[in-house]
Amino acid sequence: MNMQTNPAIPFYRETAGECDLFETAHRHGLPLLLKGPTGCGKTRFVEHMAARLGRPLYTVACHDDLSAADLIGRYLLKGGETVWTDGPLTRAVREGGICYLDEVVEARKDVAVVLHPLTDNRRTLMIDRTGEELSAPEGFMLVASYNPGYQSVLKRMKPSTRQRFLSLSFDFPDEATEIAVVTTESGLDEARVASLVRLAGRIRKLSGMDLEEGISTRLVIYAATLIAGGMGVERALESAVIEPLTDEPETRQALRDLIATVY
Ligand code: ADP
């Protein structure tokens, strides 16, 4: 059966055997770390795999104020009573689901303390506030992502945490894959998508020099969606490519020159 044709399973085009690795990790209860730039398909991959494996998915976008309590849960006031409310990680553990911590290095340090016993052979979650100790059932899996390009010295992932995860590098897809993805997502015809993908490839060569990071597949999809909706190419590229990528007048001009070589 081709899973991709099932409408309940979000579309994901595999690039290098990552679906099999995910499935194997899930079967053995091993945590998985996805590394790679923004907008290259990490979240979609996890959504696809969770649906394929029939597990509930709890996604948490981590930020610098996110604490262990946000993941585990807290007592909340409800109608004059204090009631314990599970956080997303606790729910995933109870239900044997998948918990996806997006940009995990952004979270506060106390989060690592919670993740350690969950990511080794103990597979336990301690809920200090209630005194409960949960054993993760079969089916539970912890997935985390991080973007090596953004890491400041302060925000690097510690080896003690990092070495608890199987790891998988994501990058921008190859041309044929990106054309297939952008065509499916935007509905724009393949010929016009091919020009956009060619442009994206050239822009990515600029990254590191003038641009902090290459253009994401997400932005290519935005541009294609605008063009498919009838917007002129120039205007679409202005708002889906040039504006999101840079504020520097010189870099904008360099991007416009690059666009002129493709269109
Ligand atoms: P990330 O989590 O890496 O920041 P996303 O998973 O949100 O990125 O990807 C951005 C968009 O790119 C998705 O909404 C999806 O449309 C598309 N995409 C990227 N790679 C793929 C792929 N291999 N298969 C299907 N869609 C993809």
Side-chain angles (χ1 to χ4, degrees):
M1 184 178 125
N2 180 358
M3 294 292 198
Q4 307 259 12
T5 56
N6 183 338
I9 297 178
F11 164 72
Y12 177 74
R13 169 128 166 181
E14 185 171 18
T15 57
E18 63 272 27
C19 296
D20 188 48
L21 177 68
F22 192 109
E23 240 178 284
T24 308
H26 181 256
R27 194 165 55 244
H28 293 282
L30 299 174
L32 181 63
L33 180 68
L34 311 177
K35 305 188 279 181
T38 182
C40 69
K42 300 184 293 297
T43 304
R44 177 62 68 89
F45 171 57
V46 179
E47 289 167 352
H48 171 81
M49 291 308 300
R52 220 164 116 161
L53 296 166
R55 308 311 313 166
L57 173 64
Y58 292 92
T59 296
V60 182
C62 299
H63 52 79
D64 52 12
D65 220 18
L66 186 105
S67 65
D70 294 317
L71 294 178
I72 294 178
R74 48 170 55 91
Y75 283 105
L76 294 176
L77 254 181
K78 270 188 196 157
E81 264 185 276
T82 47
V83 201
W84 173 259
T85 313
D86 283 343
L89 181 61
T90 307
R91 278 204 228 158
V93 172
R94 284 196 208 280
E95 295 169 20
I98 294 171
C99 185
Y100 175 44
L101 304 178
D102 193 9
E103 293 291 344
V104 68
V105 279
E106 294 294 329
R108 279 162 57 165
K109 291 206 170 58
D110 62 346
V111 166
V113 178
V114 174
L115 298 187
H116 283 195
L118 255 186
T119 47
D120 55 34
N121 51 10
R122 288 172 281 175
R123 279 178 51 93
T124 52
L125 178 67
M126 275 299 304
I127 309 182
D128 290 341
R129 302 296 298 276
T130 63
E132 238 184 316
E133 186 177 329
L134 298 179
S135 269
E138 214 178 294
F140 169 76
M141 180 178 177
L142 187 70
V143 184
S145 78
Y146 94 115
N147 181 346
Y150 286 162
Q151 303 320 304
S152 69
V153 183
L154 288 174
K155 287 250 164 107
R156 269 201 207 122
M157 207 168 178
K158 283 205 181 124
S160 56
T161 305
R162 201 177 157 136
Q163 293 205 14
R164 287 163 183 276
F165 288 82
L166 292 174
S167 295
L168 189 58
S169 277
F170 272 67
D171 206 345
F172 302 116
D174 61 69
E175 209 170 293
T177 305
E178 193 159 33
I179 291 173
V181 167
V182 177
T183 306
T184 308
E185 297 283 316
S186 68
L188 187 67
D189 62 87
E190 220 175 283
R192 283 192 288 173
V193 167
S195 306
L196 284 174
V197 167
R198 211 172 323 124
L199 173 66
R202 292 195 190 167
I203 292 175
R204 284 171 193 150
K205 290 207 179 95
L206 286 182
S207 66
M209 300 183 322
D210 297 320
L211 291 174
E212 210 178 327
E213 197 165 74
I215 182 170
S216 65
T217 301
R218 184 185 294 123
L219 284 180
V220 182
I221 294 169
Y222 286 176
T225 304
L226 294 180
I227 296 168
M231 189 181 282
V233 171
E234 204 177 318
R235 216 173 130 215
L237 293 180
E238 196 68 33
S239 53
V241 175
I242 297 174
E243 291 284 351
L245 285 181
T246 179
D247 301 320
E248 295 295 323
E250 279 172 25
T251 314
R252 282 161 187 264
Q253 196 46 51
L255 287 172
R256 286 192 194 102
D257 294 345
L258 204 61
I259 289 169
T261 68
V262 175
Y263 288 93

